[in-house]
Each structure stands twice: as structure tokens, then as C-alpha cells.
Amino acid sequence: SCLCGSAPCLLCGCCPSAKNSTISRLLFTFFLFLGTLVSIIMIIPGVEKELHKLPGFCEGSGSVLGVQTNVDCSSFLGHKAVYRMGFAMAAFFCLFAALMVCVHSSKDPRAALQNGFWFFKFLVLVGITVGAFYIPDGAFTSVWFYFGVVGSFLFILIQLVLLIDFAHSWSQRWLHNADEGNAKGWYAALCAVTFIFYAASIAAVALLYVYYTKPEGCTEGKAFISINLILCLIVSVVSILPKIQEAQPHSGLLQASLITLYTIYVTWSALANVPTQRCNPTLLVRNSTGSATATEPLTTWWDAPSIVGLVIFMLCTLFISLRSSDHPQVNKLMLTEESGAGAGAGPGGAAEEGGVHRAYDNEQDGVSYSYSFFHLCLLLAALYIMMTLTNWYRPDESLQVLRSPWTAVWVKICSSWAGLLLYLWTLVAPLVLPDRDFS
């Protein structure tokens, strides 16, 4: 309002009531989605060919720490542009994560930076992005790849926590509805969804064996698929054991089926990065001239796992921005609260002026989420989307060939194992720690 006059106030009067905490998270998420959209545009083959016209993008690329190198700055322009957009978004959220450390209420002067000055924040993001495109080539792409790998692994773990929490909340809500009335209908829906998830998982496993393994060789792919299939069977059986059911009455096959389906997706994504053409029919290797060798044409630079990963990324970031968990343990882990402070709020949770619900600052007594941790999640999300859009591919030492490294395969497989172990722990924790409240 201070920037544009009364127009925003008039618009707010037409909008439904909302909390400052939710609006701020949505706007920061919008910045992340905007950077993602720009990255997607830049990696489109037609646009990629024109990126060399950007001022400064290819200038000064031949010098690394004062040593002259032979680097073709026209190599993989889309890949490099996505890395620089990822760096800019990560730097932006890292800046705010550092600024918002130890902010406990909106009375802190720094809280105004979190909940306001959006136009200037946008200018800061644009400025960092422009500066990122002047970063010289050389070691930047290779080094930043490992930052992206670590950040993506951590964000996958956050995705797994949210998925497990969502699965438990889903099952509890449907079972609660079944107890209140029309039990047959809710139990039928529960069984139908569980059956669909398991059927999709079995079909996916069969397709993985067909397309990503061979009768002779491809030992790694066979091992990854078989191990994850066995682990999924184990967690499914454990979820319906009598002792587990006694400790957690809401535990069941719905959660296990959803975790199984996600695990098979992560396995598929890992196999799509296996750097052996014979065992990976979707493998694409590009040289510095832009030519490609693959079973698919160059226009399909985004593979199916990347598209699915992009959808999951959007859902998870919106999930982080819009709601807290139904479970106190997850709120403690994600550094959120079950409800905001709501100081000065009306009966409906929003202040009323003349019968019109308006947005209010609900964090006078205490913040409803950790500002720093929220920005850290968006930082990891920016690194994850950077790796997803580039298919986790990395240029070789000469920066002339773009290949899929085994690093990406092992990171994804290890994340799937970590997710299964995490879900297994949610099942057995009440038995291992009987003195703690896991309701």
C-alpha cells in the first residue's frame, strides 16, 4: 500500500480473508515458481540456441581464477542458464534465511522484510539473477552440480516426510468419516484407492524390468528394482501386523501403497540416469554442437521422470506454503505450529471492519512457522528443480559432452531407501518407545 497507493487496499477488500503468514509464504512460492518458469523457457531447444545473445553470458568465460582455459561458452547454453537461475534463486532464499534467523514474532523489525516490500524483493531477485549470468564458466557448472545433488537429496527427504504425513492424515480422515456414518462407502473407497496404488506399482515394476534390464547384464538395474520391491513388500506387511495395528489403529495399507508407488517412481527416476545406453533406453548424450544420440529425438530433452518430478515439486512446495500438519510430531520436525497466534483476531480468525473480513497479522505473539526454515526449504526446492530440469546431467571435464553420472543414480536410490526406513520407523516407533505419545 505504501508503494502503490490505495489500489492494493481496494483489491484486498474483494479478496477472502487470509493470514499474513499464508500470504507471505504463497508470494515467496510464487517467486520460486516464476524462476522455475523462466528456467523451463530457457532450456527449450529453440530458446537455448538464442541465449548466446544475452549480454555477458558468454563473455569472460575463458578465464578461471586468472588461468586462461579453452571453454566453448556456446556449449549447453540452456543447461548453463538453468544452473544460473538455480544459483540466483538459491542465493535469494539463502539471503532471507540468514536475515530471518531467530525472528520469534512479527514485532521483530525484521518481520517486516518477511511480510512486506514485495516490489523491492522482486528487484533484488532480478538483480541477483542478472549477476548470476555474468558468472564465468569453467569450474562453476561442475562445482555447482554437487551443491545441487546435496540440496536435491535433502529436498527429496522433505518430500518423503510430507508424503508420509499426507498418507497418515488421509487414512485417519477416511477412517474417521467411516466411523461417523456410511462406513461401507468409505471402506470401499479406501480399498479401491489402495488397490489402484498397488496395481500401478506392480505394473510399473514390470515395465522397469522390461525396459531397464536385459537377460544378460544390467546387474545394477535388476538389483535396484528387486531390493526396492522387497523393501516395499516388507513395509506393507509390517503395516498390518497385529501389534502395529494395536499401537496405531489408523495404520494400514493405504499409507503403505502410497509409499510403495512413490518408491517405484524414485526407482524409475534413478534408472533413467543410468549412464549405460544398453540398460537405459532413454539415455541422452549431447556434445558441444548440440547434436544428440538417443532413441528419442532431441526435442524430448525432458524425460517422463522429470515431468513427474516437476509436478511433485509443485505440490510439495504448495503443501509447505498452505498448511501445517495434523500431527504435532511433523510440525515440530518442520518447525511449524498447529495454529498462529492470532492476536487481535475476530471470532472467525480474521479481523472484521464494517462486516468485511480483512487480512490480519496473526503473528503478534509468536510466528506460526520458522521463517528461516521456510526459506531453507525453498532454497532446497530451487536446487531440486535445477537438477530436475537438467535431468541431473553433468558436463564432462572438457565441458564438451553432457552425460548422466552414477552420482545421480545413487543419490536417488539412497533417498528411496531413506524414505522406506523413515516410514518403517513411523510404524515401529510406538513399540520401540512406548513412553512417548505418538497419537
Side-chain angles (χ1 to χ4, degrees), residues 121-426:
K121 291 177 187 175
F122 178 74
L123 292 183
V124 170
L125 178 59
V126 171
I128 295 176
T129 302
V130 172
F133 277 83
Y134 283 89
I135 297 176
D137 267 327
F140 171 77
T141 303
S142 301
V143 172
W144 191 241
F145 169 83
Y146 291 102
F147 279 91
V149 166
V150 175
S152 299
F153 177 79
L154 295 176
F155 186 74
I156 290 175
L157 294 183
I158 293 176
Q159 284 184 340
L160 291 165
V161 171
L162 297 177
L163 184 68
I164 294 171
D165 173 50
F166 173 74
H168 281 295
S169 299
W170 186 359
S171 177
Q172 288 180 11
R173 187 158 302 177
W174 279 22
L175 291 175
H176 176 72
N177 293 338
D179 293 337
E180 290 188 344
N182 193 16
K184 291 183 179 179
W186 285 108
Y187 282 122
L190 198 67
C191 293
V193 172
T194 302
F195 174 78
I196 291 173
F197 285 162
Y198 273 123
S201 300
I202 293 172
V205 168
L207 292 174
L208 291 181
Y209 274 119
V210 170
Y211 288 101
Y212 290 93
T213 63
K214 299 293 181 183
E216 297 181 0
C218 302
T219 306
E220 297 87 353
K222 295 175 184 176
F224 292 151
I225 299 172
S226 301
I227 291 174
N228 281 357
L229 178 60
I230 294 172
L231 292 177
C232 290
L233 289 174
I234 292 174
V235 297
S236 298
V237 171
V238 170
S239 67
I240 57 175
L241 291 177
K243 289 188 177 181
I244 299 296
Q245 290 286 310
E246 182 181 350
Q248 295 196 70
H250 293 104
S251 174
L253 290 178
L254 176 62
Q255 300 97 308
S257 65
L258 184 57
I259 299 301
T260 296
L261 185 60
Y262 183 80
T263 301
I264 300 304
Y265 156 70
V266 176
T267 307
W268 173 36
S269 179
L271 294 176
N273 278 110
V274 172
T276 305
Q277 186 77 49
R278 183 171 176 270
C279 303
N280 180 9
T282 60
L283 181 66
L284 180 63
V285 179
R286 295 177 61 192
N287 58 32
S288 60
T289 62
S291 62
T293 57
T295 57
E296 300 288 339
L298 183 58
T299 53
T300 58
W301 178 233
W302 299 327
D303 55 4
S306 297
I307 297 174
V308 176
L310 179 61
V311 173
I312 295 175
F313 148 78
M314 296 180 67
L315 293 176
C316 285
T317 49
L318 287 175
F319 192 85
I320 292 172
S321 302
L322 289 176
R323 68 182 293 272
S324 298
S325 172
D326 296 332
H327 301 93
Q329 290 83 6
V330 178
N331 284 324
K332 292 178 182 178
L333 180 63
M334 300 298 293
L335 299 181
T336 58
E337 301 294 339
E338 293 181 277
S339 61
E352 295 187 14
E353 298 179 9
V356 178
H357 291 273
R358 297 193 180 278
Y360 70 95
D361 189 343
N362 62 310
E363 300 178 305
Q364 290 286 341
D365 294 334
V367 295
S368 59
Y369 66 100
S370 171
Y371 291 168
S372 291
F373 186 78
F374 172 71
H375 289 296
L376 178 61
C377 289
L378 294 188
L379 186 157
L380 299 178
L383 296 176
Y384 173 80
I385 201 61
M386 178 187 77
M387 301 302 294
T388 299
L389 293 179
T390 56
N391 292 354
W392 296 65
Y393 283 23
R394 183 186 64 179
D396 62 357
E397 290 75 8
S398 63
L399 299 179
Q400 300 301 305
V401 179
L402 201 60
R403 299 182 183 275
S404 177
W406 275 104
T407 305
V409 180
W410 282 106
V411 166
K412 293 180 180 181
I413 288 296
C414 290
S415 67
S416 69
W417 295 340
L420 289 169
L421 291 176
L422 183 61
Y423 173 64
L424 185 63
W425 171 249
T426 65

Side-chain angles (χ1 to χ4, degrees), residues 75-117:
S75 303
F76 322 120
L77 289 178
H79 186 278
K80 296 175 181 178
V82 171
Y83 266 46
R84 280 156 177 76
M85 276 301 306
F87 175 83
M89 291 190 292
F92 176 77
F93 292 119
C94 181
L95 172 64
F96 276 91
L99 289 175
M100 297 299 137
V101 171
C102 296
V103 175
H104 300 296
S105 73
S106 59
K107 297 177 183 179
D108 192 306
R110 291 175 294 167
L113 295 176
Q114 173 77 6
N115 299 316
F117 303 101

